[in-house]
Amino acid sequence: DGGITQSPKYLFRKEGQNVTLSCEQNLNHDAMYWYRQDPGQGLRLIYYSQIVNDFQKGDIAEGYSVSREKKESFPLTVTSAQKNPTAFYLCASTPRGSLQPQHFGDGTRLSIL
Amino acid sequence: QQQVKQSPQSLIVQKGGISIINCAYENTAFDYFPWYQQFPGKGPALLIAIRPDVSEKKEGRFTISFNKSAKQFSLHIMDSQPGDSATYFCAARTPNSGYALNFGKGTSLLVTP
């Protein structure tokens, strides 16, 4: 089945550690997005990428980094500079520029040890 | 800055009743308005969506009403069922930010038997 796979489902970070969240899609979508979800806050945009080797900061990019080396993959690194990383992270994709809906993965829950 | 305001924060409806969730926006550049349903531990799933040139869209028990002049839109769930108990998010899309979505803060719906 086509879809978006996020891994791992749960992740724990130690102080000063960088961690990377995986997002893979087999929908042949051009655009991919990372959102952060906090209780009662809705989803907020971290980074987005419309094509391979290009990505842009969203509303809350500080403390995060991404890469887009392949169309199907858009990993997110939570760096030690992100002081409050505990959240539910969601990856989404959509055909670029279309009115097709964004499809979401099932998220990664990141917690601090 | 929340670009999409959603209310109420939580809602309790009896089985068979109508659930109504409201959203308001300011940015007239928004061109697509989806509603997502999210169950605990899962990613949001598209429920129904509307474009601003349409005043109403119905899919099964779910209806979006859209008032362009008032910059408001709402989700109506008819004949609400316990299985509808979930968190609902309205969103709005702008061609800026790579067609990313701006989300409301969500409404937690509980349908009682």
Side-chain angles (χ1 to χ4, degrees):
Chain A
D1 279 359
I4 299 176
T5 301
Q6 290 189 242
S7 61
K9 191 169 179 64
Y10 300 96
L11 188 58
F12 297 91
R13 196 192 88 169
K14 296 180 181 178
E15 291 287 338
Q17 185 182 42
N18 294 351
V19 292
T20 297
L21 285 60
S22 170
C23 177
E24 303 276 334
Q25 54 100 358
N26 60 5
L27 299 166
N28 199 33
H29 287 170
D30 294 295
M32 297 186 74
Y33 309 83
W34 275 105
Y35 295 90
R36 169 178 171 144
Q37 185 176 19
D38 295 282
Q41 293 298 315
L43 283 70
R44 293 180 290 167
L45 181 67
I46 304 173
Y47 267 98
Y48 64 95
S49 168
Q50 292 184 278
I51 56 173
V52 174
N53 292 322
D54 184 63
F55 48 83
Q56 305 296 329
K57 293 181 180 180
D59 301 321
I60 56 166
E62 186 174 350
Y64 300 97
S65 66
V66 293
S67 62
R68 186 84 186 279
E69 297 177 1
K70 299 186 294 183
K71 185 176 183 177
E72 59 269 25
S73 178
F74 191 39
L76 173 74
T77 296
V78 184
T79 74
S80 58
Q82 172 50 245
K83 298 306 180 188
N84 183 23
T86 297
F88 191 46
Y89 290 88
L90 289 156
C91 178
S93 72
T94 191
R96 185 163 64 105
S98 76
L99 285 178
Q100 293 298 313
Q102 286 189 13
H103 297 262
F104 283 83
D106 276 339
T108 292
R109 187 165 299 281
L110 176 62
S111 303
I112 297 297
L113 280 178
Chain B
Q1 183 182 358
Q2 199 80 22
Q3 294 199 52
V4 180
K5 291 181 167 54
Q6 183 172 346
S7 63
Q9 186 175 354
S10 62
L11 183 60
I12 300 175
V13 173
Q14 282 195 327
K15 179 181 175 181
I18 302 174
S19 304
I20 302 174
I21 304 170
N22 300 299
C23 286
Y25 65 97
E26 287 297 326
N27 188 346
T28 55
F30 289 147
D31 65 355
Y32 176 72
F33 299 85
W35 284 88
Y36 283 85
Q37 179 189 56
Q38 185 180 33
F39 293 103
K42 295 291 187 180
L46 179 74
L47 201 57
I48 187 172
I50 198 167
R51 294 179 60 168
D53 54 351
V54 176
S55 61
E56 186 176 280
K57 184 175 181 180
K58 183 176 180 179
E59 290 183 1
R61 296 185 294 111
F62 302 93
T63 300
I64 299 179
S65 297
F66 191 87
N67 187 330
K68 188 174 181 178
S69 60
K71 288 186 276 188
Q72 295 175 347
F73 58 111
S74 61
L75 175 70
H76 291 63
I77 305 174
M78 311 300 288
D79 187 26
S80 298
Q81 299 296 312
D84 296 332
S85 298
T87 300
Y88 292 80
F89 293 95
C90 62
R93 194 191 81 158
T94 170
N96 300 327
S97 299
Y99 297 95
L101 293 172
N102 295 273
F103 284 86
K105 291 190 176 184
T107 296
S108 178
L109 171 64
L110 176 64
V111 181
T112 59

